[in-house]
Amino acid sequence: MVLITGGAYQGKVDYALEKFNLSRKDIYTCSVDKVEMPEGAPIINNVENLVKACLDNGRDPLKYLAARKSRWVRSVIIVNDISCGLVPMDAEDRAYREAVGRTSMYLAQEALAVVRVFAGIGKRIK
Amino acid sequence: MNVFISGGAKNGKSSFAQRLAVNMAKEKNCPLYYVATMVPHDGEDRARIERHRDDRRGLGFKTIECGRDIDVEIRNRGDGVFLIDSVTALLSNEMFKADGTVDGEASIRISESLKALCKDMDGLIFVSDFIYADGVEYDEITDGYIRGLAIIDRALAKACDRVVEMINGIPIDYKDDRAIQEDWGIKVDKE
């Protein structure tokens, strides 16, 4: 698995498509409404949405992902970096931000490579 | 050499950009310009501008105050090192009109004009702001501004020779890492 992280609108998807020679149909986009992880999607985008769906449904996102490792271990996972703002006022938002952070660290540990995309340019940081 | 610099607040973007500009102008033996893009709206803005002017005094910068169409202004000066601080202000100047309307095409227009400028000139240093990782869901207009700035940032990053993120005063160069071009030997399963 390769983890791609970076801020909003930085070109994470474009980077993944180009680097691994994939097309838009290879992308699975996680939903905030449904706790779901398909089998072997080449690109799993917006994994923060899956974290949100897990929290909303009383599931632990880390346990959920760890139990389904075979489904993403040969994929590219893309996560939005949402770590750099003020501490959210709302308790639910705080829990969400923390869970996304913990999930990102877990995935970064599991990843063969981690890339941070900045202004459209990727830098391998692991 | 043209350089794009961004990063979070108080990470040393401006002072790194100034040091770089001074060195580049010395090396090229050419005039050194500071393109101040912030249009002051109140006393606080004016005081801030004065403070920045003081900081630059003695470094040899000539200040050009220009909030829009900076490409025309820069082309007119010709040879020189131009520190453009900041891209963020350029976009708000053009996107948010005095009459309260919003120009949705501003980011495309600015990115096209700056891309062309990068192609034709040497010695440009752009400072932008990394405003993309706070995880806040903004209203449509604010989100449009963030998306617009990203369009310009990405165009500049592509066009510039050096792309620098400042973290705690330390420059990280995204184009100085040839490893990103290499084949990593990692295969992604296609369906």
Tab-separated table of all heavy atoms in Angstrom, chain B residues 3-29:
chain	number	residue	atom	x	y	z
B	3	VAL	N	11.202	30.816	-8.263
B	3	VAL	CA	10.979	30.032	-7.042
B	3	VAL	C	9.571	30.256	-6.502
B	3	VAL	O	9.097	31.395	-6.446
B	3	VAL	CB	12.006	30.423	-5.950
B	3	VAL	CG1	11.842	29.535	-4.714
B	3	VAL	CG2	13.433	30.335	-6.471
B	4	PHE	N	8.921	29.166	-6.117
B	4	PHE	CA	7.627	29.235	-5.453
B	4	PHE	C	7.800	28.828	-3.990
B	4	PHE	O	8.374	27.783	-3.702
B	4	PHE	CB	6.627	28.293	-6.142
B	4	PHE	CG	5.311	28.178	-5.430
B	4	PHE	CD1	4.365	29.182	-5.535
B	4	PHE	CD2	5.025	27.071	-4.643
B	4	PHE	CE1	3.142	29.078	-4.870
B	4	PHE	CE2	3.807	26.965	-3.973
B	4	PHE	CZ	2.869	27.973	-4.091
B	5	ILE	N	7.339	29.687	-3.080
B	5	ILE	CA	7.474	29.419	-1.644
B	5	ILE	C	6.099	29.461	-0.996
B	5	ILE	O	5.329	30.389	-1.224
B	5	ILE	CB	8.376	30.484	-0.977
B	5	ILE	CG1	9.771	30.480	-1.607
B	5	ILE	CG2	8.478	30.246	0.535
B	5	ILE	CD1	10.631	31.681	-1.217
B	6	SER	N	5.790	28.442	-0.193
B	6	SER	CA	4.562	28.493	0.589
B	6	SER	C	4.799	27.830	1.943
B	6	SER	O	5.911	27.408	2.253
B	6	SER	CB	3.417	27.817	-0.168
B	6	SER	OG	2.193	28.035	0.509
B	7	GLY	N	3.748	27.760	2.739
B	7	GLY	CA	3.872	27.175	4.074
B	7	GLY	C	2.872	27.828	5.006
B	7	GLY	O	2.171	28.764	4.620
B	8	GLY	N	2.790	27.316	6.217
B	8	GLY	CA	1.853	27.866	7.193
B	8	GLY	C	2.317	29.213	7.719
B	8	GLY	O	3.408	29.689	7.392
B	9	ALA	N	1.454	29.831	8.544
B	9	ALA	CA	1.773	31.137	9.109
B	9	ALA	C	2.967	31.039	10.057
B	9	ALA	O	3.130	30.047	10.761
B	9	ALA	CB	0.553	31.673	9.862
B	10	LYS	N	3.805	32.077	10.055
B	10	LYS	CA	4.951	32.163	10.983
B	10	LYS	C	5.904	30.977	10.869
B	10	LYS	O	6.319	30.399	11.862
B	10	LYS	CB	4.456	32.296	12.439
B	10	LYS	CG	3.716	33.589	12.718
B	10	LYS	CD	4.649	34.783	12.698
B	10	LYS	CE	3.968	36.010	12.126
B	10	LYS	NZ	4.721	36.774	11.181
B	11	ASN	N	6.182	30.592	9.625
B	11	ASN	CA	7.182	29.547	9.412
B	11	ASN	C	8.421	30.087	8.701
B	11	ASN	O	9.281	29.315	8.296
B	11	ASN	CB	6.581	28.372	8.639
B	11	ASN	CG	5.818	27.427	9.547
B	11	ASN	OD1	6.405	26.595	10.238
B	11	ASN	ND2	4.512	27.582	9.601
B	12	GLY	N	8.480	31.404	8.535
B	12	GLY	CA	9.685	32.009	7.975
B	12	GLY	C	9.679	32.160	6.468
B	12	GLY	O	10.743	32.279	5.862
B	13	LYS	N	8.476	32.194	5.855
B	13	LYS	CA	8.408	32.317	4.397
B	13	LYS	C	9.026	33.622	3.911
B	13	LYS	O	9.867	33.628	3.030
B	13	LYS	CB	6.954	32.261	3.907
B	13	LYS	CG	6.235	30.982	4.197
B	13	LYS	CD	4.862	30.952	3.529
B	13	LYS	CE	3.899	31.995	4.057
B	13	LYS	NZ	3.384	31.715	5.405
B	14	SER	N	8.563	34.738	4.504
B	14	SER	CA	8.998	36.048	4.011
B	14	SER	C	10.493	36.261	4.225
B	14	SER	O	11.174	36.755	3.334
B	14	SER	CB	8.208	37.164	4.693
B	14	SER	OG	6.897	37.162	4.202
B	15	SER	N	11.001	35.890	5.382
B	15	SER	CA	12.423	36.171	5.614
B	15	SER	C	13.305	35.268	4.751
B	15	SER	O	14.338	35.717	4.250
B	15	SER	CB	12.795	36.090	7.098
B	15	SER	OG	12.572	34.820	7.585
B	16	PHE	N	12.867	34.019	4.535
B	16	PHE	CA	13.624	33.156	3.613
B	16	PHE	C	13.590	33.748	2.204
B	16	PHE	O	14.619	33.818	1.518
B	16	PHE	CB	13.040	31.740	3.599
B	16	PHE	CG	13.672	30.834	2.578
B	16	PHE	CD1	14.930	30.289	2.796
B	16	PHE	CD2	13.023	30.549	1.385
B	16	PHE	CE1	15.526	29.466	1.850
B	16	PHE	CE2	13.618	29.726	0.423
B	16	PHE	CZ	14.861	29.185	0.668
B	17	ALA	N	12.409	34.197	1.792
B	17	ALA	CA	12.255	34.767	0.445
B	17	ALA	C	13.142	36.001	0.283
B	17	ALA	O	13.765	36.199	-0.764
B	17	ALA	CB	10.794	35.124	0.200
B	18	GLN	N	13.212	36.823	1.328
B	18	GLN	CA	14.037	38.034	1.255
B	18	GLN	C	15.522	37.690	1.138
B	18	GLN	O	16.239	38.265	0.323
B	18	GLN	CB	13.776	38.924	2.474
B	18	GLN	CG	12.406	39.585	2.409
B	18	GLN	CD	12.112	40.457	3.615
B	18	GLN	OE1	13.003	40.823	4.376
B	18	GLN	NE2	10.840	40.782	3.802
B	19	ARG	N	15.975	36.746	1.953
B	19	ARG	CA	17.397	36.335	1.880
B	19	ARG	C	17.710	35.785	0.493
B	19	ARG	O	18.733	36.114	-0.105
B	19	ARG	CB	17.693	35.248	2.926
B	19	ARG	CG	17.722	35.750	4.357
B	19	ARG	CD	18.472	34.788	5.277
B	19	ARG	NE	17.978	33.415	5.266
B	19	ARG	CZ	16.931	32.974	5.990
B	19	ARG	NH1	16.279	33.807	6.785
B	19	ARG	NH2	16.558	31.726	5.936
B	20	LEU	N	16.801	34.940	-0.009
B	20	LEU	CA	16.994	34.353	-1.336
B	20	LEU	C	17.054	35.439	-2.404
B	20	LEU	O	17.928	35.423	-3.278
B	20	LEU	CB	15.840	33.390	-1.618
B	20	LEU	CG	15.873	32.608	-2.917
B	20	LEU	CD1	17.022	31.604	-2.888
B	20	LEU	CD2	14.561	31.868	-3.137
B	21	ALA	N	16.147	36.413	-2.311
B	21	ALA	CA	16.087	37.492	-3.313
B	21	ALA	C	17.378	38.307	-3.301
B	21	ALA	O	17.936	38.623	-4.361
B	21	ALA	CB	14.877	38.386	-3.034
B	22	VAL	N	17.852	38.642	-2.108
B	22	VAL	CA	19.080	39.433	-1.983
B	22	VAL	C	20.245	38.682	-2.641
B	22	VAL	O	21.010	39.251	-3.434
B	22	VAL	CB	19.388	39.737	-0.491
B	22	VAL	CG1	20.791	40.301	-0.326
B	22	VAL	CG2	18.346	40.702	0.071
B	23	ASN	N	20.347	37.384	-2.347
B	23	ASN	CA	21.437	36.584	-2.919
B	23	ASN	C	21.332	36.463	-4.432
B	23	ASN	O	22.332	36.554	-5.143
B	23	ASN	CB	21.463	35.178	-2.301
B	23	ASN	CG	21.949	35.210	-0.870
B	23	ASN	OD1	22.635	36.148	-0.453
B	23	ASN	ND2	21.579	34.202	-0.096
B	24	MET	N	20.099	36.273	-4.920
B	24	MET	CA	19.915	36.140	-6.359
B	24	MET	C	20.286	37.431	-7.083
B	24	MET	O	20.900	37.401	-8.146
B	24	MET	CB	18.462	35.748	-6.676
B	24	MET	CG	18.235	34.238	-6.617
B	24	MET	SD	16.480	33.779	-6.625
B	24	MET	CE	15.963	34.323	-8.227
B	25	ALA	N	19.904	38.575	-6.467
B	25	ALA	CA	20.197	39.871	-7.109
B	25	ALA	C	21.702	40.134	-7.122
B	25	ALA	O	22.235	40.698	-8.081
B	25	ALA	CB	19.463	40.992	-6.380
B	26	LYS	N	22.374	39.707	-6.062
B	26	LYS	CA	23.831	39.856	-6.002
B	26	LYS	C	24.478	39.044	-7.112
B	26	LYS	O	25.341	39.520	-7.838
B	26	LYS	CB	24.335	39.357	-4.637
B	26	LYS	CG	25.066	40.457	-3.833
B	26	LYS	CD	25.594	39.899	-2.529
B	26	LYS	CE	25.054	40.700	-1.355
B	26	LYS	NZ	25.174	39.974	-0.082
B	27	GLU	N	24.032	37.800	-7.227
B	27	GLU	CA	24.594	36.880	-8.207
B	27	GLU	C	24.353	37.360	-9.636
B	27	GLU	O	25.226	37.285	-10.484
B	27	GLU	CB	23.956	35.502	-8.020
B	27	GLU	CG	24.899	34.352	-8.287
B	27	GLU	CD	24.326	33.064	-7.724
B	27	GLU	OE1	24.503	32.815	-6.512
B	27	GLU	OE2	23.665	32.349	-8.496
B	28	LYS	N	23.136	37.860	-9.873
B	28	LYS	CA	22.782	38.333	-11.216
B	28	LYS	C	23.243	39.757	-11.458
B	28	LYS	O	23.193	40.241	-12.585
B	28	LYS	CB	21.247	38.300	-11.399
B	28	LYS	CG	20.687	36.924	-11.662
B	28	LYS	CD	19.163	36.981	-11.823
B	28	LYS	CE	18.734	37.730	-13.080
B	28	LYS	NZ	17.265	37.754	-13.239
B	29	ASN	N	23.640	40.426	-10.358
B	29	ASN	CA	24.029	41.838	-10.421
B	29	ASN	C	22.951	42.674	-11.117
B	29	ASN	O	23.187	43.295	-12.153
B	29	ASN	CB	25.385	41.967	-11.136
B	29	ASN	CG	25.983	43.348	-10.950
B	29	ASN	OD1	25.671	44.035	-9.973
B	29	ASN	ND2	26.818	43.758	-11.886
